[in-house]
């Protein structure tokens, strides 16, 4: 393990050992399965630590503990639940540097992005604290005299969370911070490609719940491959499964949950575009496109995949992007002089190479050629060159999401054509337009504009604040997490009618006299 940046010390402070149990109800860590698997860093290709997989027997124990915990946790007043989440946010502040370093080293994103991911966790805890006093229902007039109608919200029970490798901790926190203040308990299956980040988080939060004398099983952890995720998806004792990942994975989860009439909150793939009009501030456009395309080595669901550029500024944008790409520094993400880290593993590298081969076969032309980096500092074999290709929106490869730093440039003539190109993909997560023209901007945000769940003006597609609901449309799944009224996904709505009169009139004026 490369310890030049103090990763070993950070692991120790976070409670991560060379061999780790992977199943927990909080205070209790289960040791019932001798099947260990390694967490391998894409930074240097070395094994960081080994993790024990969750067995089916252990899963049953965790479910039982979670069910008992829910019976007690739901009775804790919501503001008190919020106070505990507030302390979790403070605990995260104390370990921000160490946890950010682990996220960076285990996943491969830059250290600044790792710190930013932990800050997202802190921010959503702050948001949830306020939310704990704002789980509002409505009061509505009754048509019957002497009656009052209102609605209230109750917790669902056990919320299952399946998260992806690219955001090892932030997306989990979006779910649990809201679920906990809503009165739910949670079972988290982190990505098997970044399990140590999940173990570190469980250590952090379990101490806070224990400090407050809360029952074991409010925060639960299970670790393993897709088979462990299938336990959650198929389990009728888990009323809501929140899953983040590929569209293919989301369809499997959605089908399994739907067949048992459960709820699925799906955050799936994106194929995000920025429209750069002839009225754009090109300095801003280049900066927005650059981070959107190469940040996290193109492994964000909000990464910029397509640039739809007006023909009058196309050549200038292309040349300036090529120049900017030439200045990118690729290497160990813990070194803050580097802009781009590695892809997550060799399978991702192979997918990247196949996409480049595919776009070339379909007629794409290289603006900045891709390839795998070798030699000193690139021993893991997961470092690749961010690439740019001129393409057409109808290319099959352009219609699909490639989780890698590959950017496609597409030329347009009219604004109507740009909108059609933008919306002409199966995914609908994040979108942006770069323009100083108010009519273009407002049209892009109108019902006739972007068909995505997120639409931005003069900022890129990547990076979202927790105050707004996060999610997309079409093959992105339709779920919403984080801010706004996303909390409603974690609760069940109940409509109540109270008759305080001495009569019993029926609705709609129905008469039923005897």
């Amino acid at each position: 393990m490369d310890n030049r940046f103090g990763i070993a010390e950070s692991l120790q402070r976070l409670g991560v050992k060379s061999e780790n149990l992977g199943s927990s109800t909080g205070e209790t860590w289960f040791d019932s399965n001798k099947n260990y698997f390694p967490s391998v860093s894409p930074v240097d290709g070395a094994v960081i630590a080994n993790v024990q997989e969750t067995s089916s027997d252990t899963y049953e124990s965790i479910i039982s503990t979670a069910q008992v915990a829910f019976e007690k946790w739901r009775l804790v007043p919501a503001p008190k639940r919020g106070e505990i989440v507030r302390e979790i946010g403070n605990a995260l502040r104390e370990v921000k540097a160490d946890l950010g370093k682990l996220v960076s080293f285990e996943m491969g994103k830059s250290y600044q992005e790792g710190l930013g991911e932990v800050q997202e966790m802190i921010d959503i805890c702050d948001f949830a604290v306020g939310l704990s006093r704002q789980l509002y229902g409505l009061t509505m007039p009754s048509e019957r005299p002497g009656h009052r109608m209102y609605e209230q919200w109750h917790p669902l029970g056990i919320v299952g969370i399946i998260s992806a490798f690219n955001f090892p901790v932030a997306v989990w926190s979006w779910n649990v911070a809201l679920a906990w203040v809503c009165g739910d308990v949670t079972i988290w299956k982190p990505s098997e490609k970044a399990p140590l980040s999940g173990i570190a988080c469980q250590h952090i939060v379990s101490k806070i719940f224990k400090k407050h004398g809360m029952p074991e099983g409010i925060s639960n952890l299970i670790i393993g491959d897709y088979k462990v995720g299938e336990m959650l998806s198929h389990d009728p004792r888990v009323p809501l499964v929140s899953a983040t990942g590929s569209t293919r994975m989301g369809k499997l989860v959605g089908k399994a949950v739907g067949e048992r009439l459960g709820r699925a909150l799906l955050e799936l793939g994106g194929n995000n575009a920025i429209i750069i009009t002839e009225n754009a501030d090109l300095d801003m456009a280049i900066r927005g496109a650059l981070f959107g395309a190469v940040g996290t080595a193109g492994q964000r669901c909000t990464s910029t995949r397509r640039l739809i550029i007006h023909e009058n500024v196309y050549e200038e944008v292309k040349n300036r992007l090529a120049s900017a790409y030439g200045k990118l520094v690729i290497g160990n993400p813990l070194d803050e002089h580097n802009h781009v880290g590695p892809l997550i593993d060799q399978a991702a590298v192979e997918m990247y190479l196949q996409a480049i081969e595919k776009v070339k076969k379909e007629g794409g032309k290289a603006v900045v050629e891709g390839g795998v980096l070798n030699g000193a500092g690139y021993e893991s074999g997961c470092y690749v060159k961010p690439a740019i290709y001129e393409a057409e929106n109808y290319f099959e490869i352009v219609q699909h999401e490639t989780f890698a730093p590959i950017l496609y440039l597409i030329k347009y003539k009219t604004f109507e054509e740009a909108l059609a190109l933008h919306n002409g993909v199966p995914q609908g997560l994040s979108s942006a337009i770069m323009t100083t023209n108010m009519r273009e901007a407002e049209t892009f945000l109108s019902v006739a504009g972007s068909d995505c769940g997120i639409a931005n003006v003069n900022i890129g597609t990547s990076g979202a604040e927790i105050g707004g609901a996060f999610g997309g449309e079409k093959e992105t799944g339709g779920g919403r997490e984080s801010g706004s009224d996303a909390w409603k996904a974690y609760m069940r709505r109940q409509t109540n009618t109270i008759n305080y009169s001495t009569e019993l009139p029926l609705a709609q004026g129905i008469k039923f006299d005897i």
Side-chain angles (χ1 to χ4, degrees):
M1 181 194 301
D2 185 345
N3 193 40
R4 287 177 296 161
F5 299 94
I7 185 65
E9 290 79 6
S10 291
L11 291 174
Q12 185 178 26
R13 286 190 289 267
L14 292 168
V16 177
K17 304 174 183 178
S18 58
E19 289 195 347
N20 300 271
L21 304 180
S23 311
S24 171
T25 56
E27 297 173 47
T28 300
W29 289 76
F30 293 85
D31 186 14
S32 61
N33 187 347
K34 300 305 178 184
N35 183 24
Y36 281 82
F37 65 94
S39 174
V40 178
S41 172
V43 174
D44 58 9
V47 174
I48 309 172
N50 291 302
V51 181
Q52 190 183 78
E53 192 173 44
T54 299
S55 68
S56 57
D57 288 342
T58 297
Y59 175 82
E60 287 299 321
S61 297
I62 287 174
I63 281 284
S64 297
T65 305
Q67 287 178 310
V68 173
F70 173 63
E71 298 296 321
K72 299 177 181 178
W73 179 242
R74 67 181 180 176
L75 299 178
V76 176
K80 297 296 184 184
R81 298 194 294 253
E83 173 64 17
I84 293 173
V85 171
R86 183 187 69 80
E87 290 196 27
I88 289 171
N90 288 339
L92 290 168
R93 286 178 170 89
E94 294 176 3
V95 299
K96 180 177 176 179
D98 287 329
L99 186 55
K101 189 175 294 184
L102 171 56
V103 167
S104 175
F105 192 67
E106 188 173 36
M107 184 267 149
K109 63 176 59 178
S110 73
Y111 181 47
Q112 281 298 312
E113 291 182 77
L115 292 174
E117 186 165 345
V118 181
Q119 187 60 49
E120 278 193 71
M121 303 174 75
I122 295 167
D123 292 344
I124 195 64
C125 285
D126 288 349
F127 178 90
V129 174
L131 176 65
S132 69
R133 295 181 181 269
Q134 301 177 77
L135 301 174
Y136 298 132
L138 298 173
T139 299
M140 59 283 293
S142 172
E143 68 183 60
R144 290 169 284 186
H147 286 60
R148 180 169 66 89
M149 292 179 62
Y150 72 99
E151 67 179 27
Q152 58 183 337
W153 296 82
H154 296 303
L156 285 173
I158 300 174
V159 173
I161 301 159
I162 301 172
S163 62
F165 73 86
N166 59 331
F167 282 87
V169 294
V171 173
W172 165 74
S173 72
W174 291 359
N175 283 273
V176 295
L178 300 194
W180 289 337
V181 299
C182 288
D184 298 313
V185 300
T186 58
I187 299 178
W188 179 24
K189 181 210 164 305
S191 171
E192 64 272 26
K193 297 180 181 181
L196 301 179
S197 296
I199 289 170
C201 288
Q202 182 71 343
H203 282 308
I204 293 164
V205 302
S206 63
K207 292 177 183 177
I208 306 300
F209 284 117
K210 182 179 181 180
K211 171 187 171 183
H212 285 270
M214 291 296 118
E216 225 184 325
I218 297 171
S219 175
N220 302 278
L221 182 70
I222 57 176
I223 286 180
D225 60 14
Y226 71 94
K227 295 177 183 177
V228 176
E230 285 181 342
M231 296 183 199
L232 281 177
S233 300
H234 289 86
D235 194 334
R237 296 167 294 183
V238 182
L240 171 65
V241 176
S242 174
T244 304
S246 68
T247 297
R248 181 192 65 81
M249 179 276 288
K251 289 179 178 179
L252 294 173
V253 171
K255 180 181 179 181
V257 176
E259 284 180 344
R260 59 179 177 83
L261 298 181
R263 300 188 194 181
L265 198 169
L266 303 175
E267 298 288 358
L268 310 176
N271 194 349
N272 316 295
I274 299 176
I275 296 175
I276 301 178
T277 79
E278 61 182 333
N279 300 302
D281 179 329
L282 294 188
D283 291 337
M284 292 178 63
I286 296 300
R287 291 200 302 272
L290 184 65
F291 178 73
V294 307
T296 324
Q299 296 173 113
R300 292 185 175 211
C301 52
T302 56
S303 290
T304 305
R305 311 288 177 197
R306 299 173 294 142
L307 287 188
I308 300 169
I309 310 166
H310 192 276
E311 60 183 0
N312 290 349
V313 295
Y314 182 86
E315 291 298 323
E316 182 178 357
V317 170
K318 180 176 73 173
N319 293 334
R320 291 181 64 174
L321 272 174
S323 175
Y325 269 53
K327 300 174 184 177
L328 293 172
V329 183
I330 306 167
N332 187 324
L334 293 177
D335 184 341
E336 296 191 59
H337 293 95
N338 296 330
H339 301 108
V340 183
L343 294 178
I344 186 63
D345 56 20
Q346 287 297 319
V349 173
E350 184 59 32
M351 180 179 62
Y352 160 87
L353 293 173
Q354 291 174 357
I356 289 176
E357 181 180 0
K358 181 84 171 176
V359 73
K360 289 179 177 178
K361 283 184 178 180
E362 293 191 72
K365 298 178 181 179
V367 176
V368 176
E369 186 62 271
V372 178
L373 294 170
N374 299 299
Y378 303 128
E379 289 84 1
S380 73
C382 296
Y383 292 88
V384 301
K385 300 176 184 177
I388 304 175
Y389 294 91
E390 295 181 283
E392 299 292 342
N393 211 57
Y394 61 79
F395 286 2
E396 183 182 358
I397 191 60
V398 177
Q399 289 284 307
H400 296 279
E401 178 187 47
T402 302
F403 234 48
I406 302 175
L407 180 64
Y408 303 117
L409 305 187
I410 300 164
K411 187 185 298 185
Y412 80 90
K413 292 183 179 180
T414 68
F415 189 60
E416 292 72 22
E417 179 190 3
L419 290 175
L421 290 168
H422 176 278
N423 294 342
V425 293
Q427 308 83 4
L429 178 52
S430 187
S431 60
I433 187 170
M434 295 291 184
T435 182
T436 58
N437 183 295
M438 183 184 70
R439 289 178 177 173
E440 290 176 335
E442 291 294 337
T443 300
F444 183 73
L445 300 179
S446 75
V447 68
S450 169
D451 63 359
C452 295
I454 300 169
N456 300 326
V457 176
N458 292 328
I459 63 171
T461 62
S462 190
E465 298 180 34
I466 60 90
F470 180 90
E473 302 299 327
K474 301 190 292 188
E475 286 193 359
T476 300
R480 292 297 186 274
E481 294 172 329
S482 188
S484 186
D485 65 348
W487 61 271
K488 293 180 178 179
Y490 305 91
M491 304 194 83
R492 58 182 178 88
R493 187 196 312 247
Q494 184 181 80
T495 300
N496 308 113
T497 305
I498 299 172
N499 179 2
Y500 58 91
S501 74
T502 58
E503 303 295 328
L504 191 62
L506 299 176
Q508 291 83 49
I510 295 173
K511 300 296 184 181
F512 192 74
D513 296 327
I514 297 178

